[in-house]
Amino acid sequence: MKMSLMKKLSISFLLTVIGAILIASFVSNYMVIRKFNNYLVDEHKEKVNKIIVTAQDLYNDTTGFSNFNKDELLRYAVLEELYIQVKDANGNVVFDSGNSHLQHKNMMETMMGNMMKNGMGKHFNMSLEEYMEETHSLVKDKKNIGTIVVGYFGTSYLNQGALTFKMTLNHSFILSGFIALVFGLGVSFILAKQLMNPLVKITKTANEMREGNLAVRSEVKSKTKEIEELSASINYLAETLENQEMLRKRLTSDMAHEIRTPLTTLKTHVEALLDGIWEPTEERFQSFYDEIERLTDLVDNLRNLAKLEQADLKLNKTKFNLSGELEKIILSFEPLYSKNNHIITSNIDENVWVQMDKDKLKQIMHNLLSNGYKYLKSQGKVLVELKKEKEGICIKVKDNGIGIPEKDLPYIFERFYRTDLSRDKSTGGSGIGLTITKSLVESHGGKISVESKEGEGSTFILEFPKGIICENE
């Protein structure tokens, strides 16, 4: 049976409170009662010692115990509920607080009966214990003057005041436990509600996302760190899914456009040949061939992207001079750039040796330099920089081309994404060149980013970890 989080939290917190109350009450009650009982026993011994001292003080060196005042000992016996008997040195009884201990027993039974009527006895499981007597020698000026017998029952030190204190103490534990239980129940309900309300709202947001509403966002504000992070994660997921959905729709539209254009051209040309409007010539067949090549390139790009996503790229790493390799790549692009009055320059640190896949590096630079070339303005410039830094290696490709709109920057490395400025047939590609480049860079443990301003140009930044750097032998 599934239980709601609120109920589970409330029950767990309540059980914890109950357990804590029981443990604290048991330990506290045990320690307090134990100490209090010890205190009562010590007090009883002090009473007996006080009676002994009183009896010794009543002795007269001249007359002995014959004329001493018995009222004080009798008062002690009555007030402290004790049986007192005093004998002289010859063993003669000179004082007796009662005819026998049975009289004292009857007095104790009467007291216990009153306590049971008042409800005290049932709280402490009291029963009349065995009658006991203590015999002590009476000594004065180092002379044995007689003996004193103090009789009492085992519970005699539990007087009315002591029993009342114990009962009050136990009642206070019970009342404190009840108040703590109610307080714990209230706190558990409040805490559970504070946790549940935002979670319910987040769950509602997630369910709306599942039903297709990707524009929904979690508006939960909480002082609980984990709930705040969960809300932010749900919003990030919703935003990511919304962007992916936008890219998917855009991909469908772009792919339809890319495929429809050459197919429409081929269809129109073939219909013209079938209707006899056109004569089959070499130039027209070349046009057919060009359109078919466009479709072939598109399919090849899709296949290459699929390979990149199937598994991690297998790198064939070798040691080589990155500085020299970049110079060679730049040199190979100079004819293309100069043909259209563009300039490609470099600012490269010398003798930077690395352990990388040389072919993948060439593909990365080819994609970036070709991409930069496509979007240069008249008499455009491209600068390639290589810097060896403490954190690793940084390669930058700067151009002064048309730039990238700010709204497109977050998606520039997404598959098949092309900005509105790159949709011209003469320049626009399939939209996966930068996606492939990003995968190749990341396969070397690096990262790629872009800085751009529309109308002023773009800078692609490649950052590789220092682990790929090696020393020249």
Side-chain angles (χ1 to χ4, degrees), residues 355-464:
Q355 192 83 16
M356 295 178 67
D357 189 318
K358 187 184 293 186
D359 292 334
K360 298 296 187 293
L361 173 69
K362 290 180 179 179
Q363 188 175 357
I364 291 169
M365 297 308 299
H366 183 275
N367 286 344
L368 293 178
L369 294 177
S370 297
N371 197 67
Y373 169 78
K374 289 178 183 178
Y375 303 113
L376 285 175
K377 295 180 288 188
S378 178
Q379 296 182 342
K381 295 180 181 180
V382 171
L383 171 65
V384 179
E385 291 184 349
L386 170 63
K387 297 294 180 183
K388 183 178 179 181
E389 302 172 342
K390 291 182 179 180
E391 296 79 11
I393 292 174
C394 180
I395 300 175
K396 293 183 179 181
V397 178
K398 302 179 180 180
D399 67 66
N400 62 349
I402 61 176
I404 303 170
E406 185 176 355
K407 66 181 181 65
D408 294 318
L409 282 175
Y411 316 109
I412 200 67
F413 295 106
E414 298 288 345
R415 70 195 75 173
F416 301 107
Y417 189 87
R418 293 189 298 154
T419 68
D420 293 335
L421 298 177
S422 64
R423 292 181 177 274
D424 184 79
K425 181 179 178 180
S426 62
T427 59
S430 59
I432 65 172
L434 290 178
T435 305
I436 294 175
T437 300
K438 182 174 183 286
S439 298
L440 295 174
V441 172
E442 290 178 347
S443 67
H444 285 85
K447 62 180 181 179
I448 183 171
S449 57
V450 61
E451 297 174 356
S452 184
K453 191 171 182 180
E454 190 174 350
E456 296 183 8
S458 305
T459 301
F460 286 87
I461 305 168
L462 311 178
E463 297 174 285
F464 294 97

Side-chain angles (χ1 to χ4, degrees), residues 124 132 220 264:
F124 300 99
M132 293 181 291
V220 171
T264 302

Side-chain angles (χ1 to χ4, degrees), residues 338-352:
S338 60
K339 180 180 178 181
N340 289 283
N341 296 321
H342 298 319
I343 300 175
I344 180 169
T345 59
S346 63
N347 181 14
I348 296 175
D349 288 351
E350 297 181 354
N351 293 320
V352 178

Side-chain angles (χ1 to χ4, degrees), residues 119-154:
M120 297 183 189
K122 64 182 178 181
H123 287 292
F124 300 99
N125 194 24
M126 293 180 57
S127 62
L128 194 64
E129 296 185 16
E130 183 180 359
Y131 175 78
M132 293 181 291
E133 287 184 348
E134 296 180 12
T135 302
H136 300 274
S137 298
L138 297 175
V139 180
K140 190 170 185 179
D141 298 330
K142 298 182 180 180
K143 176 183 176 182
N144 186 13
I145 60 174
T147 59
I148 185 170
V149 177
V150 180
Y152 57 90
F153 286 89

